[in-house]
Amino acid sequence: MKPEDITNIIVTGKSGAGKQPRIDVLVEEFNLEQLSTGDIFRFYLKKFNEYNYSDSLDVFWDEDNNRFISDEEISNELGTDNPDVILGLKAKYFVDRGLFVPDYITNALFESAFAKKNYRKQVLDGYPRTLDQSKFLLELLEKHNSKVDFILLVDNSDERIIERTVNRRICPKCGRVYHLIYKPPKDGRCEVCGVEVIQRSDDTEEKIRSRLKEFREKTLPAINYLKEKEIPMATVPGHLEEFTPENVRKSVMDAIEKIYSEISIE
Ligand SMILES: [Zn+2]
């Protein structure tokens, strides 16, 4: 498997399974970039915020038809036709209200960000996460003569993820990550900054369980759909007895080698 043979890779797995170290391996081994849904949302929200529009966003929503007014009407109202600002507005409308972001918005943001990368050389992280998103992605790839070479599933047990996450503490200043059992912060403080470490509001057991449920109910069907469409899948363990960079790299590369050797046998 040479870097130039790879077009795009999807990395998936439960939230907290340990995706990032595997993504780092793929980025390095195959000269790819990481395209994360979280970063995409932050990018477009920033574009909108930089535009300094401070009035209510209600005028952009067509209550009667339960959708946004047309892009032309939005751009007249906003005073700009910058597509990134308009996408940012649409994302912000839902995010500000604490509403679930519908697939058509996530798809539109993803498409725009993926287009900026010419639909190639990306590790997709956090996308697709629903069946609709999987279908949209396959259409998009076909339209632009691109492909996903394989899916890398980072596998980890619910129990281990919960144990890892509820004990996680973060330095609010530098972002350094601690674990109350495996890497305890001395006197509850960051070893670099000296400030008190905190628990992220997302790291409670209730929130983790809800993310695990969402993975089972929405993301697994999305991944199964891609497998049915003949995209190969490699599975790597999210937990390693000895968690060293070399072991992480080897487990990722072994799993990839395995799918390609199976394909050549067939
Ligand atoms: Zn710190």
Side-chain angles (χ1 to χ4, degrees):
M1 238 329 80
K2 295 189 291 291
E4 54 269 33
D5 298 332
I6 298 291
T7 311
N8 296 291
I9 300 170
I10 291 172
V11 174
T12 190
K14 299 166 186 168
S15 168
K19 290 190 283 290
Q20 192 57 51
R22 282 74 194 184
I23 293 172
D24 293 341
V25 170
L26 297 173
V27 164
E28 201 183 302
E29 292 286 333
F30 299 110
N31 296 328
L32 304 171
E33 288 180 86
Q34 178 173 3
L35 189 60
S36 300
T37 319
D39 291 340
I40 292 174
F41 269 82
R42 277 186 287 277
F43 172 83
Y44 289 99
L45 290 171
K46 186 160 169 267
K47 287 284 169 191
F48 180 72
N49 288 336
E50 284 169 354
Y51 185 66
N52 281 323
Y53 181 88
S54 50
D55 293 346
S56 162
L57 302 187
D58 290 335
V59 292
F60 300 104
W61 188 256
D62 176 354
E63 279 290 345
D64 295 336
N65 295 302
N66 201 30
R67 63 176 185 218
F68 286 108
I69 57 175
S70 74
D71 282 2
E72 202 186 335
E73 291 168 315
I74 291 178
S75 101
N76 286 337
E77 187 70 39
L78 265 182
T80 179
D81 59 1
N82 182 327
D84 291 349
V85 173
I86 294 174
L87 283 169
L89 178 148
K90 291 179 177 176
K92 190 175 167 66
Y93 181 87
F94 294 99
V95 172
D96 270 8
R97 285 163 179 74
L99 295 172
F100 178 78
V101 180
D103 280 329
Y104 75 91
I105 297 293
T106 304
N107 287 339
L109 265 64
F110 174 79
E111 178 174 11
S112 171
F114 201 28
K116 291 182 202 294
K117 306 294 184 183
N118 200 24
Y119 312 97
R120 280 158 180 81
K121 293 290 167 191
Q122 304 299 306
V123 178
L124 307 188
D125 163 30
Y127 189 93
R129 208 173 251 169
T130 66
L131 190 54
D132 268 3
Q133 291 176 15
S134 282
K135 291 177 179 171
F136 183 84
L137 173 64
L138 290 188
E139 283 170 23
L140 195 61
L141 291 166
E142 196 178 336
K143 196 156 73 179
H144 298 283
N145 199 20
S146 185
K147 66 180 177 3
V148 165
D149 297 273
F150 61 87
I151 302 161
L152 187 77
L153 172 73
V154 183
D155 187 31
N156 219 329
S157 71
D158 286 10
E159 294 68 34
R160 208 185 296 273
I161 287 171
I162 291 165
E163 198 261 6
R164 259 182 52 154
T165 321
V166 296
N167 289 308
R168 181 157 58 196
R169 294 295 179 275
I170 299 207
C171 169
K173 201 168 168 202
C174 71
R176 200 165 279 253
V177 181
Y178 295 89
H179 187 281
L180 291 183
I181 298 157
Y182 307 123
K183 197 190 172 196
K186 199 162 173 260
D187 302 324
R189 288 174 182 279
C190 175
E191 63 189 18
V192 181
C193 316
V195 296
E196 239 175 277
V197 297
I198 55 163
Q199 183 177 33
R200 292 194 323 169
S201 60
D202 276 353
D203 286 350
T204 62
E205 182 164 345
E206 189 193 355
K207 293 216 171 147
I208 300 155
R209 288 201 185 275
S210 129
R211 293 200 293 272
L212 290 170
K213 183 165 178 268
E214 189 167 325
F215 179 80
R216 268 195 314 275
E217 291 176 358
K218 291 187 174 166
T219 306
L220 269 188
I223 298 307
N224 286 332
Y225 178 80
L226 297 177
K227 280 166 69 188
E228 280 165 25
K229 298 291 174 183
E230 316 272 289
I231 299 180
M233 186 167 92
T235 303
V236 289
H239 175 75
L240 295 172
E241 280 311 318
E242 248 190 294
F243 194 90
T244 62
E246 183 44 36
N247 285 353
V248 173
R249 199 195 70 86
K250 189 172 184 311
S251 82
V252 169
M253 298 313 280
D254 285 353
I256 295 170
E257 204 149 293
K258 189 158 170 269
I259 46 173
Y260 283 100
S261 62
E262 278 165 9
I263 289 169
S264 58
I265 290 164
E266 276 165 16

